[in-house]
Amino acid sequence: MRTIATIAELRAELDSERAAGRTVGFVPTMGYLHDGHASLMRAARADTDVVVASIFVNPLQFGVGEDLDAYPRDLARDTELAGAAGVDLLFTPSVDEMYPRPVLTTVSVAEVSEGLEGAARPTHFAGVATVVAKLFAIVGPCRAYFGAKDFQQIAVVRRMAHDLSFPVEVVACPTAREPDGLAMSSRNVYLTPAERAAAPVVHTALRSGAAAIAAGERDPAAVRDLMAQIITAEPLAELDYTAVVDADSFTVPDPLVGNLRLLAAVRFGRARLIDNVGVTV
Ligand code: PAF
């Protein structure tokens, strides 16, 4: 695996790979890699000839008072994990390389960006869409792999790539979980031992919501409230939201029907965790 820090070098390298007929798989990350990232890298490795992963903690997607400065970083460990997962090129640009001048051009995706995470973190998705558009422009034609834990992010990125005609196929991969159901996340490192023990309640609540729908519940408010009750019964959990939405439009079907997604965002001390599961009626 080679580490590349400049846009020009990565572009030249990938252009010559494509000119030689090789396909490119791309895994964008903010580093502090875990097995969830490794599963995306392995999927890219299995599907494509040349695998590039980026590590860039993108300041644009952090709101005021969020954890930009504290965001965990460990490039030595990330390099080892990416190499072991089959990455060929690790792109590690600096903030100056990505944003040498104040950013005057941003990308915002209406509608799918607006509820849930978009409502809780109003500038977040414009920051994500802008950096991912920039990374797609740098990497060029490829298949790009994203984890389903960030379900709304995938919808935003997919719509952005479609609307702006990026030659990129967005691939969603299943959420990687710890044995007790907790979704893997770089932010899990913020959890104290007691919070870590409590955190699987998020997945438990989502599964209970899905089970209620499978058993015939069709009232979205009842499912939302059932999940909220399970989470708020945990003293260390501070509920942000629970929701059940149509997986494509992010609207709330009433009665519940179609391809549904149940989502939750919950704070445990310093960590704000999100998770989701799918169910089809
Ligand atoms: O999911 C992430 O790690 C980030 O939002 C992404 C897609 C790498 C953009 O910075």
Side-chain angles (χ1 to χ4, degrees):
M1 185 177 73
R2 273 179 51 211
T3 299
I4 292 178
T6 68
I7 293 170
E9 201 186 336
L10 184 69
R11 263 205 186 119
E13 186 68 31
L14 293 175
D15 282 349
S16 81
E17 294 287 2
R18 276 184 296 258
R22 287 188 275 275
T23 56
V24 173
F26 174 42
V27 182
T29 83
M30 297 206 301
Y32 212 69
L33 304 177
H34 49 68
D35 207 47
H37 296 111
S39 69
L40 304 180
M41 292 166 183
R42 287 192 294 265
R45 176 77 282 157
D47 292 352
T48 58
D49 300 323
V50 180
V51 178
V52 55
S54 62
I55 294 182
F56 180 63
V57 181
N58 170 38
L60 292 190
Q61 70 189 74
F62 289 79
V64 176
E66 291 189 355
D67 57 345
L68 173 61
D69 293 338
Y71 198 83
R73 295 159 212 245
D74 188 342
L75 186 56
R77 194 170 138 270
D78 287 352
T79 304
E80 226 166 86
L81 186 146
V87 170
D88 299 303
L89 300 170
L90 191 61
F91 181 48
T92 59
S94 63
V95 173
D96 267 1
E97 178 71 10
M98 288 293 275
Y99 304 125
R101 294 196 283 176
V103 177
L104 301 183
T105 307
T106 57
V107 179
S108 60
V109 182
E111 295 183 13
V112 283
S113 285
E114 283 160 16
L116 304 173
E117 285 305 283
R121 307 177 68 192
T123 57
H124 174 65
F125 282 130
V128 170
T130 301
V131 80
V132 174
K134 194 168 163 83
L135 289 166
F136 284 179
I138 294 165
V139 169
C142 66
R143 283 167 70 106
Y145 295 78
F146 293 82
K149 179 179 75 67
D150 298 297
F151 189 76
Q152 197 177 1
Q153 168 171 279
I154 295 177
V156 169
V157 166
R158 206 172 247 145
R159 187 59 192 251
M160 178 277 291
H162 174 84
D163 286 353
L164 299 182
S165 302
F166 278 105
V168 174
E169 184 190 342
V170 174
V171 181
C173 297
T175 301
R177 297 187 181 279
E178 303 289 354
D180 60 8
L182 177 66
M184 288 187 186
S185 164
S186 305
R187 289 188 166 102
N188 290 352
V189 73
Y190 297 149
L191 297 167
T192 64
E195 289 160 356
R196 171 65 190 81
V201 72
V202 181
H203 189 227
T204 304
L206 292 167
R207 286 180 49 198
S208 301
I213 296 171
E217 180 60 76
R218 295 290 176 266
D219 176 4
V223 175
R224 184 197 62 207
D225 293 349
L226 168 71
M227 297 190 291
Q229 274 159 23
I230 293 170
I231 291 167
T232 52
E234 167 49 60
L236 294 177
E238 192 191 320
L239 179 66
D240 197 338
Y241 63 77
T242 53
V244 52
V245 298
D246 178 89
D248 297 317
S249 66
F250 283 81
T251 55
V252 180
D254 189 2
L256 292 171
V257 68
N259 187 13
L260 304 170
R261 209 78 194 177
L262 292 79
L263 306 101
V266 186
R267 279 179 200 282
F268 293 87
R270 283 176 62 212
R272 183 175 180 280
L273 306 183
I274 58 172
D275 198 358
N276 64 84
V277 301
V279 62
T280 302
V281 174

